[in-house]
Amino acid sequence: MSTTPGTTPGTPPPSQALTADPRPGTAELTVQEGPFAWLRALGPRGRRAFAGAFGGYALDSYDYFTLPLSMVALAAYFGLDSGQTGLFTTVTLVVSAVGGAIAGVIADRIGRVKALMITVITYAVFTVACGFAPNYETLLVFRALQGLGFGGEWAVGAILVAEYSTARHRGRTLGAVQSSWAVGWGLAVIVYTLVFQFLGDDLAWRVMFWTGALPALLVVWVRRRVQDAPEAAAVREKSAEKGSFGAIFKPASADGPGLLRTTFFAVLLSTGVQGGYYTLATWVPTYLKTERGLSVVGTGGYLTFLISGAFIGYLTGGYLTDKLGRKRNILLFAILSAACILTYANIPSGANTLLLVLGFPLGFCMSAIFSGFGSFLSELYPSAVRGTGQGFTYNTGRAVGAAFPTTVGFLADSWGVGGALVFGAIGYALAALALIGLPETSGKELL
């Protein structure tokens, strides 16, 4: 019988070596190599948590994109200018900071799974409500309230999965969760293309919002099948600072390093990355229709390249987060994302084929930078305030970053949407600067 050099008969080769995982709720033995080792290493409970977080974030994305995709129809229906339509995104992202902070505290105090269900129900209910809005002001209020759930879902889901993940695979695992944003985005584009093809614009935008009821089905499954990571939950329950805002703003002292510095730079990082991202996510559909003259089907085709790049970018960024480290991955793609924006926004008129081709690297780079966020922010905070810290920093950055798409909206009337898009590159420069104040956390186990 032949054997692999260096092994004895009956012993699996190193590429299939099995390693015991002592964490409760994980598989007793997990395969440590191969393209899906990260998924096997989660164990049965962890894989269910992954499915819940993946589905929640995909549907979060779907509900978010019902607005940008319907923006042109909404502007025509309510007679809005660019500044008013940009305000939709601003209120969503600003209120999401409140929702994210609240969801983080709830996740630390009553558990990750319960908080996940609350956030999903919230964003689903108010997305549907948007479809019944009789006027601009009401729609603005409903969209703001949708932001409460939208803001909390990602942070809670990411922490739930991070606490099941090993340090070795956490970047890839959370990158895979992050890739669900592209899945939800793609689903929204498909529905948008069909709805706006067969219905008049005055009804189609309402139908888009009504389809936001889909997440209710996920909540039923999560309630029955998903549990918090037992070991992390036990550690959290013993802490007196569980869910404390004060703890994440505590300065360094003789008693310890404190978390104030971490919180400040994590907010700055989130602001830069999300300012750049939401500038593109909000305005690219409008840019393609109004300045490049594309039809609904044409816009959907161009967005397919952008979204395909985004999906692969999330997965690639997750892999590189584990290989290069959290900070190097973010820095690399901050530089590349800024370069892509500047190139994309300055393509000559008539060169729509080039616009199509460049959509792929644009989507790739602006998504790959997010892949490390779930692992990086989770590793920056201890279990007792992990939800509070991640929920606050990620969503405060999202709220402050909301100024970027609003600025584009007001500049669009004089600069054009394409010209104003370059403002998003400033966000990525800010993100690169923020890395100076944050530690590298690769290899850190979570308790």
Side-chain angles (χ1 to χ4, degrees):
M1 180 175 66
S2 63
T3 63
T4 302
T7 65
T8 57
T11 301
S15 62
Q16 298 177 357
L18 299 179
T19 303
D21 189 340
R23 293 170 300 141
T26 61
E28 183 177 352
L29 295 175
T30 57
V31 180
Q32 294 297 306
E33 299 295 342
F36 293 101
W38 60 269
L39 186 61
R40 291 190 292 269
L42 288 171
R45 290 184 182 177
R47 287 192 287 272
R48 289 195 294 270
F50 173 85
F54 188 98
Y57 198 47
L59 292 170
D60 195 8
S61 170
Y62 178 90
D63 279 15
Y64 173 79
F65 279 105
T66 55
L67 176 66
L69 291 168
S70 304
M71 197 89 87
V72 174
L74 285 169
Y77 186 87
F78 291 117
L80 309 177
D81 59 30
S82 296
Q84 289 174 306
T85 52
L87 192 57
F88 280 127
T89 298
T90 300
V91 297
T92 303
L93 301 183
V94 169
V95 176
S96 75
V98 179
I102 293 173
V105 172
I106 291 173
D108 285 336
R109 293 187 178 180
I110 69 172
R112 314 320 192 192
V113 173
K114 291 179 181 177
L116 180 66
M117 291 190 293
I118 291 171
T119 61
V120 172
I121 290 170
T122 301
Y123 73 65
V125 167
F126 287 109
T127 297
V128 173
C130 285
F132 293 98
N135 52 51
Y136 171 70
E137 292 77 15
T138 303
L139 180 57
L140 198 63
V141 170
F142 285 154
R143 188 64 180 181
L145 293 173
Q146 189 261 3
L148 289 174
F150 169 72
E153 193 284 332
W154 178 82
V156 174
I159 293 167
L160 172 66
V161 176
E163 291 178 339
Y164 273 108
S165 304
T166 62
R168 181 178 183 182
H169 298 301
R170 190 171 297 118
R172 275 161 282 192
T173 305
L174 272 296
V177 172
Q178 198 85 44
S179 73
S180 65
W181 181 264
V183 173
W185 189 3
L187 179 61
V189 170
I190 292 170
V191 174
Y192 155 80
T193 302
L194 294 174
V195 169
F196 277 81
Q197 275 289 100
F198 295 106
L199 298 176
D201 284 7
D202 289 354
L203 176 61
W205 70 264
R206 294 187 184 276
V207 173
M208 279 296 295
F209 284 121
W210 292 338
T211 60
L214 288 171
L217 300 175
L218 175 70
V219 171
V220 176
W221 183 84
V222 168
R223 184 175 182 275
R224 298 181 61 183
R225 301 285 291 165
V226 182
Q227 301 174 347
D228 287 3
E231 186 171 306
V235 172
R236 186 173 66 250
E237 287 300 318
K238 295 176 182 177
S239 174
E241 291 187 323
K242 181 175 63 175
S244 168
F245 264 121
I248 68 172
F249 294 111
K250 186 180 294 183
S253 66
D255 297 328
L259 291 170
L260 178 61
R261 176 186 172 91
T262 295
T263 298
F264 172 79
F265 282 102
V267 167
L268 196 64
L269 176 66
S270 296
T271 297
V273 172
Q274 295 188 89
Y277 178 85
Y278 283 107
T279 295
L280 293 168
T282 301
W283 287 107
V284 163
T286 300
Y287 171 62
L288 294 175
K289 290 187 70 174
T290 61
E291 296 194 14
R292 310 303 297 208
L294 299 180
S295 65
V296 169
V297 174
T299 299
Y302 277 68
L303 289 176
T304 297
F305 271 76
L306 189 68
I307 295 166
S308 298
F311 180 76
I312 297 173
Y314 284 128
L315 297 178
T316 303
Y319 175 81
L320 292 177
T321 291
D322 285 334
K323 290 296 182 181
L324 301 179
R326 313 324 188 202
K327 294 174 64 175
R328 287 181 180 177
N329 181 73
I330 292 172
L331 178 60
L332 171 64
F333 286 106
I335 295 170
L336 293 177
S337 296
C340 283
I341 291 177
L342 295 174
T343 304
Y344 194 80
N346 288 284
I347 295 173
S349 59
N352 282 352
T353 300
L354 182 58
L355 192 76
L356 173 68
V357 173
L358 287 179
F360 187 91
L362 177 66
F364 181 93
C365 293
M366 69 188 232
S367 299
I369 194 172
F370 273 107
S371 294
F373 263 59
S375 52
F376 194 27
L377 295 181
S378 293
E379 290 160 355
L380 287 172
Y381 291 93
S383 180
V385 292
R386 186 166 293 134
T388 304
Q390 184 156 331
F392 176 82
T393 57
Y394 188 81
N395 289 288
T396 299
R398 180 185 272 167
V400 179
F404 287 73
T406 302
T407 301
V408 170
F410 284 106
L411 291 176
D413 292 331
S414 56
W415 293 16
V417 176
L421 280 176
V422 299
F423 195 76
I426 298 173
Y428 291 112
L430 185 64
L433 182 65
L435 292 172
I436 297 172
L438 294 170
E440 177 57 60
T441 58
S442 294
K444 183 178 181 178
E445 294 291 354
L446 299 185
L447 292 177

